[in-house]
Amino acid sequence: MGETDTRRKRINHLKRVILWGAAAGIVLLTIACVILGIKVAVLTKNVDELQIQLEAEESRVLESGGVYTTSYVEESPRESGSEILSKETEGSEETELPKKVYLTFDDGPSSSTNAILDILKAYDVKATFFVVGKTDEASKAAYKRIVAEGHTLGMHSYSHKYHEVYQSEESFITDLSQLQEYLYDETGVWSRYYRFPGGSSNKVSSVDMQDLISWVNENGITYYDWNIESGDAVSDHLSKEAIVNNCLKNFDKQSEVMILMHDAADKKTTVEALPEIITQIRLRGDAYFLPITDETEPIQHVKARQEPGN
């Protein structure tokens, strides 16, 4: 009996050790889960607060910017805007944050324009559309939608035919004036923002670009180029991934970012890339989106010539 009692006591002791060990393990695991849960909650709160701050900052800037007044075509040879501005940005000191970002779309409207407008609306982002002249009902509706949803309606020539637009100063003036008046008739907006077909640095104009720049400036129109290219003008089949990379790889080199994209009907991968571009820029936490307004500092590849004495 003595040996049996001793064995029973040992077994009971072992059971108690196992039970206490299991209980201690459960307690430690529970404490770890609680601590982890608290850390996750704190991180989630911090992320939410940061998002609220970013949205508040973006709203503040948008409100302070005043009222927004707010192709499928062949692309001409042109000097890369990134190359032209590289000397200005190399070695420059880091600028104060946040950074202004302008999404700009050339050559529309088209079916791609409506898809892009849907994305911009979903992400609550305002952009700028440099449009060409189109008289079909879908295009007329797109002009109106751009304005109604708070984007900037810019001009990119009526015909976008380089040999016509740049044939002479007179043909350039006729083309731009036709588009300006047409957009006013359709939307009630007298657009004052222009992007030269091929940019101010294009190499195909038969007219001295300085003469055209002078006319534009004298008539209250501001022209805008870009300092980041999506690359979608080069190929209709450029991948979504390549477009995203092109828009982000030189982002830190610019103190103010103006991204060139296109909303012609064949730019499907541009549409696909847009949500990721917006998301990646927002995740940086140091930039916000704006449409072009009268307060926007122009990005210009070719500056107006300085008159003697100035």
Side-chain angles (χ1 to χ4, degrees), residues 134-235:
K134 294 186 177 182
T135 58
D136 60 281
E137 293 305 315
S139 295
K140 292 180 179 180
Y143 296 137
K144 293 180 175 69
R145 183 181 175 189
I146 289 170
V147 173
E149 296 187 2
H151 304 287
T152 293
L153 185 65
M155 302 177 288
H156 194 43
S157 79
Y158 189 91
S159 69
H160 205 283
K161 296 178 180 178
Y162 290 84
H163 64 282
E164 293 181 7
V165 174
Y166 293 129
Q167 181 179 9
S168 66
E169 183 172 351
E170 290 72 21
S171 62
F172 173 84
I173 294 172
T174 297
D175 181 277
L176 193 159
S177 299
Q178 182 180 6
L179 179 61
Q180 191 175 41
E181 293 169 4
Y182 176 63
L183 294 179
Y184 180 76
D185 290 341
E186 292 299 324
T187 68
V189 171
W190 187 255
S191 181
R192 303 185 304 278
Y193 314 115
Y194 188 72
R195 174 165 285 160
F196 289 102
S200 64
S201 57
N202 78 83
K203 303 300 181 183
V204 298
S205 178
S206 299
V207 188
D208 186 342
M209 287 302 297
Q210 287 292 350
D211 293 337
L212 303 185
I213 288 172
S214 294
W215 187 89
V216 165
N217 290 339
E218 290 167 2
N219 284 272
I221 298 170
T222 305
Y223 65 99
Y224 294 83
D225 290 309
W226 57 89
N227 54 15
I228 288 184
E229 298 178 74
S230 67
D232 61 357
V234 177
S235 171

Side-chain angles (χ1 to χ4, degrees), residues 36-51:
L36 181 60
I38 293 173
K39 288 184 177 181
V40 171
V42 171
L43 288 174
T44 301
K45 181 180 178 181
N46 289 341
V47 170
D48 290 342
E49 289 177 350
L50 178 59
Q51 181 65 29

